[in-house]
Amino acid sequence: MSREDQEAQEDELLALANIFSKEEFKRQDATKGGEIHLFLQLPSEFATVQQTFADDFENSVPFLPPIVLNFELPPDYPSSAPPNFTLSCKWLSPTQLTLLCQHLDDLWEENSGCVVLFPWIQFLKEKTLDFLNIKSPYEIELSSNGLQNWMQPPEKTSADGVLLERGSIDKRAIQDVQSVSALVKCILDSIEAQEKKVFDSQQFLCNICFMEKLGSECTHFKDCQHVYCNCCLKDYFEIQIKDGQVHALNCPEPECKSVATPAQVKDLVGEQLFCRYDYLLLKSGLDLMADISFCPRPSCQTPVMLEPQGEMGICTVCQYAFCVYCKKTFHGITNCTVNSEKLAELLKEHQAADKKGKRLLEMRFEQLKKVVENIKNVEWIGENSKPCPSCKAPIQVHDIT
């Protein structure tokens, strides 16, 4: 490698690293190469056509997955040899990628002896759609065998394997997608990633602290499109979770019904408080299920599945057997300590509860109502019977006066 070639390569790689982000350009020092992800600027209302796409996302797509240029610089680049490269893309067919590869070869011939990566990048980013005559709506073609690169060998190749004949599939052209469903997921992921990138770079006014901050420091409620800074939302969510109000983690805008996603909550409050949020959210859901109770031991609190019509729960973790009504150690046929006073307290609580709280208490009320009825039955038997002298079974006493 000549000194001039070495300096030209280092200057070009350094310039790429300064221009592109770490996500867009990954340098490989061991091979004097790298990988560049090129996102095309699509026209407004650009639409794609594929039979199975309609059920997965709207026809209009603002972003598509990138064209990926993998390159390796030979020792005699740029004085005499071009970069070795491959072009891969999920939504361009191998035939289309072949045409792009051939045009990159043409650009090298035009710029022979000079660095060529920037002309290649500029062409791929700005002129791919026009060069391939891609217009909206664009029909995405997928090969029948999933992952597809060159399907047939070139009819003529040079000594270094560069395609010479037009119409064949270039071995450097790779459509790296396994199936339609995989392509759909990639497009959705690309849209989400690019929208986040745009959001992170914009300024937003937080209506809590009234300060302008970058989107990267804010949280966006997608349903209502309201944006608040992370510092304010973090304080708000932490207070709600510590108070047990896990269903109140909604947008702070007055009367707004948008709710934060679990991922947003976790990012804001951290792992430890999120575990409490996750547990309380699960518990509130299980509380509404009549056949689910929780182990009464404060150190356990494991959800317990109850048997139909059963009055006893057995924790699968600590093996604690408890009465499903009074939550104390299971007492068999002994009268439950739940009484009519407890029922009266629950009725008062029912009147002050919200809709979800009323539903929960009504379910518990039905269970406690059965206990009160059993207590009344035992009291009636005690007042209106006497034990049999032989077997001690209660015998009703008739009033013969």
Side-chain angles (χ1 to χ4, degrees), residues 199 239 255 337:
F199 174 82
I239 292 173
E255 299 182 3
T337 57

Side-chain angles (χ1 to χ4, degrees), residues 10-129:
E10 285 298 326
D11 290 344
E12 190 172 29
L13 291 174
L14 182 60
L16 289 174
N18 290 330
I19 293 174
F20 294 98
S21 66
K22 293 182 179 180
E23 292 76 20
E24 294 173 319
F25 172 55
K26 299 177 182 178
R27 178 172 175 174
Q28 298 173 354
D29 292 326
T31 57
K32 283 290 184 180
E35 179 178 281
I36 304 176
H37 291 238
L38 303 170
F39 292 90
L40 273 58
Q41 297 294 327
L42 301 179
S44 60
E45 302 302 323
F46 186 84
T48 60
V49 177
Q50 223 288 339
Q51 290 182 354
T52 59
F53 282 3
D55 295 334
D56 295 278
F57 57 89
E58 297 178 358
N59 196 35
S60 177
V61 291
F63 303 100
L64 284 170
I67 298 174
V68 181
L69 172 65
N70 276 281
F71 66 91
E72 182 179 335
L73 305 180
D76 51 351
Y77 167 81
S79 61
S80 56
N84 300 316
F85 72 92
T86 61
L87 272 185
S88 60
C89 186
K90 300 181 186 302
W91 53 275
L92 290 175
S93 69
T95 301
Q96 291 170 318
L97 289 168
T98 292
L99 293 176
L100 294 178
C101 289
Q102 292 171 340
H103 190 73
L104 296 188
D105 292 337
D106 294 340
L107 289 175
W108 162 252
E109 293 297 331
E110 296 173 7
N111 295 273
S112 182
C114 301
V115 291
V116 76
L117 289 179
F118 280 103
W120 282 3
I121 291 170
Q122 185 177 15
F123 163 73
L124 291 172
K125 286 198 68 173
E126 300 177 4
K127 299 181 180 180
T128 291
L129 297 182

Side-chain angles (χ1 to χ4, degrees), residues 132-203:
L132 297 176
N133 196 28
I134 293 176
K135 300 183 183 302
S136 179
Y138 168 60
E139 183 174 359
I140 297 178
E141 300 177 5
L142 290 180
S143 62
S144 58
N145 62 343
L147 182 64
Q148 181 175 0
N149 48 19
W150 59 294
M151 297 174 59
Q152 57 187 20
E155 295 179 2
K156 290 184 180 181
T157 58
S158 64
D160 58 1
V162 176
L163 180 66
L164 299 178
E165 287 292 329
R166 306 275 172 172
S168 298
I169 301 300
D170 196 309
K171 64 180 181 179
R172 299 169 297 180
I174 304 170
Q175 187 180 30
D176 58 339
V177 64
Q178 299 291 341
S179 63
V180 172
S181 60
L183 176 57
V184 170
K185 184 179 184 305
C186 289
I187 292 178
L188 293 174
D189 290 344
S190 177
I191 292 174
E192 184 178 354
Q194 291 303 306
E195 287 179 342
K196 185 179 186 305
K197 184 178 179 181
V198 172
F199 174 82
D200 288 349
S201 62
Q202 294 177 336
Q203 292 274 352

Side-chain angles (χ1 to χ4, degrees), residues 309-359:
Q309 305 300 323
E311 298 181 352
M312 178 179 68
I314 301 178
C315 178
T316 57
V317 174
C318 67
Q319 307 304 315
Y320 180 59
F322 59 94
C323 171
V324 298
Y325 303 124
C326 67
K327 305 300 182 183
K328 296 182 179 180
T329 303
F330 185 65
H331 42 72
I333 61 174
T334 305
N335 293 341
C336 185
T337 57
V338 176
N339 52 38
S340 56
E341 292 180 0
K342 176 64 176 178
L343 188 58
E345 291 177 7
L346 287 175
L347 289 175
K348 290 181 181 179
E349 187 178 347
H350 180 272
Q351 294 175 349
D354 57 15
K355 187 175 180 180
K356 289 184 178 180
K358 288 183 187 298
R359 183 184 174 192

Side-chain angles (χ1 to χ4, degrees), residues 364-382:
R364 290 178 175 175
F365 175 81
E366 290 299 323
Q367 292 179 334
L368 292 170
K369 185 177 178 181
K370 294 177 183 179
V371 175
V372 172
E373 289 175 352
N374 290 337
I375 293 174
K376 290 182 178 180
N377 289 336
V378 172
E379 291 175 349
W380 185 91
I381 291 174

